[in-house]
Amino acid sequence: MTDIDALMRTAPVIPVIVIDELEHAVPLAEALVAGGLPVLEVTLRTPAALSAIAAMKQVPGAIVGAGTVANPRDLEDALAAGSEFIVSPGLTEPLAQAAIRRGVPFLPGIANAGDIMRGLDLGLTHFKFFPAMAAGGLPALKSLAAPFGACRFCPTGGIGLDNAAEWLAFDPVLCVGGSWVAPRGAPDREQVERVAREAAALTR
């Protein structure tokens, strides 16, 4: 299994995906992978999410994980569906310990120094900075990252093509999460692939 560092370095953008209809899952995954964004975060926000993870796993080249994982039960459901990594909006000790116990790449959300310190106490060094813009944007992350030189980040929340490059230029940022590359609804495969190519061309 790929570790979280390698996963975050695979592509500059991790699509944050909400699937309402299961039939949208495979075409969307195929378009994103074809556009150069193989790491796909399917959020557990809809009844179709777990089935979508299982379906997307069949797409060649796709690395599919679950987002919006809030507790150990969500984690087990996501792993049963075939998730290859786990993303959470926050960091709790029960969830982190469950992820560590299961040996799955885990990216918990942090928004302040206390979150990071709690993660470090658990042996974690890679975090989602969330909600990135609402939590103070890049200046806030620069201030947070300064005392924690070993930590690496995936900012998510309010990031789009217009500001992603600025985030990626900050060394501790390995990738960004973004929903702009995977709009909700029936995917326009050509459009999704084009937008994915733009995102995949961003440099860290």
Side-chain angles (χ1 to χ4, degrees):
M1 183 179 285
T2 307
D3 67 24
I4 193 65
D5 187 81
L7 199 76
M8 291 169 70
R9 294 177 188 273
T10 301
V13 178
I14 296 178
V16 178
I17 299 166
V18 180
I19 295 290
D20 295 294
E21 304 290 341
L22 182 56
E23 59 263 31
H24 299 162
V26 168
L28 180 60
E30 288 174 343
L32 289 167
V33 171
L37 300 180
V39 181
L40 310 177
E41 177 192 335
V42 180
T43 61
L44 302 187
R45 299 180 191 177
T46 68
L50 293 170
S51 297
I53 289 168
M56 288 177 159
K57 279 266 295 180
Q58 307 309 310
V59 174
I63 304 166
V64 187
T68 324
V69 175
N71 52 57
R73 182 182 299 172
D74 285 350
L75 174 87
E76 292 303 325
D77 289 344
L79 293 177
S83 296
E84 296 174 75
F85 63 95
I86 298 294
V87 183
S88 176
L91 173 59
T92 69
E93 194 165 322
L95 177 58
Q97 288 179 338
I100 292 165
R101 189 165 57 247
R102 297 291 255 116
V104 62
F106 177 51
L107 191 63
I110 59 91
N112 56 55
D115 290 342
I116 295 173
M117 290 165 68
R118 190 162 61 252
L120 288 169
D121 283 346
L122 291 162
L124 304 171
T125 55
H126 291 60
F127 303 101
K128 175 170 88 163
F129 178 51
F130 177 81
M133 293 303 292
L138 185 55
L141 182 58
K142 286 183 174 180
S143 295
L144 272 178
F148 303 109
C151 295
R152 296 295 177 263
F153 301 93
C154 174
T156 306
I159 295 176
L161 188 62
D162 58 328
N163 62 355
E166 186 180 4
W167 287 91
L168 290 164
F170 181 45
D171 278 350
V173 170
L174 299 185
C175 60
V176 300
S179 57
W180 90 91
V181 293
R184 283 178 90 156
D188 177 334
R189 293 174 66 140
E190 196 172 296
Q191 170 76 356
V192 170
E193 186 174 338
R194 182 185 65 76
V195 172
R197 286 191 190 285
E198 288 179 342
L202 293 166
T203 54
R204 285 185 282 270

